[in-house]
Amino acid sequence: RPLLAEDVCDCVPRGESAHERGDVFRSFWEAEQRQCGFKRASVVRALRSSTALFFTASGVSLFWFMVSQLATPFLIRELVAELSADHMDLHFALLVAAGLLISSSCSSYLITAFFGFGRRVGIAARTGLMAAIYEHAMHLSAEGRLKSTIGQTTNLMSVDAEKMVLAAQGIHFLWMTPLQTLIMTGVFVNLIGWEAVPGIALFVLGWPLQRCVARAGGQQRLLAMRYTDERIKFLTEVVHGIRVAKLY
């Protein structure tokens, strides 16, 4: 007999299916439109509201991961100093070693939780956007269909919406990177002295270069997207022409 949907085990958590996530985003998007008006409504605010719980959990996980990572060098320094001492305090050394083990274990768990929550946020955002784009495309007027092509709609649903998965995992680094840089600057100055400042300054000065490279790459992707729209439009017209030729 043919394979049916009931034959496959339901491995999707409750509330995480494509249909449910689309309904959640639609409800927040409609609330955003009622509150701010159609022209001033923000998709970003609607996405943030619909994924606030997992988004906050991913940020908290990343913060405590940073704390555990920063604590590890200090614990290693204390353990090495205690083992190198003439009169080692065994109980204190065991306590530091246990703290080092707990810190390493928490780091592994927290970074896994961060990427897990971030991926759930990205998938929920992608699913909601794809459902909203598809629904909007189905209700376009004749004039609206002339202004947009099937290639643009396909790219919005497949390529642009897929970027939300990457953005959800990387957006927290916007606040974590400067914070971690400031903290590490203080740590290096405390451990090494002011000789560490030139190295930190060189690292900070590299940010504008990375921004320029990223902007140039983004412009190239935008240029490639235009050709992708034209290619998908051409292939769609070819397929439609083949169907018409076979029909008549």
Side-chain angles (χ1 to χ4, degrees):
R1 64 184 181 87
L3 183 65
L4 302 177
E6 292 77 10
D7 298 330
V8 182
C9 62
D10 187 10
C11 57
V12 180
R14 184 182 300 273
E16 296 297 320
S17 64
H19 177 72
E20 292 170 320
R21 295 310 310 178
D23 291 340
V24 170
F25 174 75
R26 187 182 300 108
S27 63
F28 280 99
W29 175 239
E30 292 175 353
E32 177 70 18
Q33 289 179 326
R34 289 193 301 268
Q35 182 179 359
C36 302
F38 181 77
K39 293 184 177 180
R40 299 182 60 185
S42 173
V43 177
V44 176
R45 285 197 296 265
L47 288 174
R48 183 184 59 190
S49 302
S50 61
T51 60
L53 179 61
F54 291 131
F55 185 80
T56 304
S58 64
V60 172
S61 301
L62 184 61
F63 174 78
W64 287 110
F65 167 75
M66 180 183 66
V67 172
S68 62
Q69 287 290 97
L70 292 176
T72 300
F74 292 98
L75 293 174
I76 294 177
R77 185 183 66 174
E78 292 296 329
L79 183 60
V80 171
E82 189 64 29
L83 293 176
S84 303
D86 296 333
H87 302 284
M88 181 182 66
D89 188 351
L90 181 61
H91 296 287
F92 181 74
L94 291 176
L95 183 62
V96 174
L100 183 60
L101 176 63
I102 294 174
S103 176
S104 302
S105 302
C106 289
S107 297
S108 302
Y109 173 77
L110 289 170
I111 194 62
T112 304
F114 163 71
F115 283 111
F117 287 128
R119 186 162 183 82
R120 295 183 72 173
V121 171
I123 293 175
R126 182 191 63 182
T127 304
L129 284 178
M130 290 176 65
I133 293 170
Y134 182 79
E135 183 180 1
H136 184 71
M138 291 296 100
H139 293 85
L140 281 177
S141 61
E143 183 180 359
R145 294 179 186 275
L146 292 176
K147 294 181 180 179
S148 61
T149 63
I150 298 178
Q152 292 176 346
T153 305
T154 304
N155 278 333
L156 284 174
M157 294 181 62
S158 60
V159 180
D160 294 347
E162 184 66 28
K163 299 298 182 182
M164 297 302 300
V165 179
L166 300 177
Q169 295 180 345
I171 192 171
H172 287 293
F173 290 99
L174 294 177
W175 61 263
M176 191 208 70
T177 302
L179 178 61
Q180 192 172 26
T181 301
L182 292 175
I183 296 176
M184 292 307 300
T185 301
V187 171
F188 286 152
V189 170
N190 183 33
L191 296 179
I192 303 176
W194 292 104
E195 293 81 2
V197 174
I200 298 296
L202 182 62
F203 172 74
V204 173
L205 291 176
W207 290 355
L209 178 61
Q210 296 178 1
R211 181 180 179 183
C212 294
V213 173
R215 179 176 296 181
Q219 293 176 352
Q220 292 297 322
R221 284 193 297 269
L222 289 176
L223 183 62
M225 290 294 291
R226 298 176 184 175
Y227 292 106
T228 303
D229 294 342
E230 296 177 359
R231 184 180 70 250
I232 295 178
K233 179 183 177 182
F234 174 75
L235 292 176
T236 304
E237 292 175 351
V238 170
V239 173
H240 287 174
I242 294 174
R243 289 178 179 175
V244 173
K246 292 181 65 176
L247 180 63
Y248 293 102

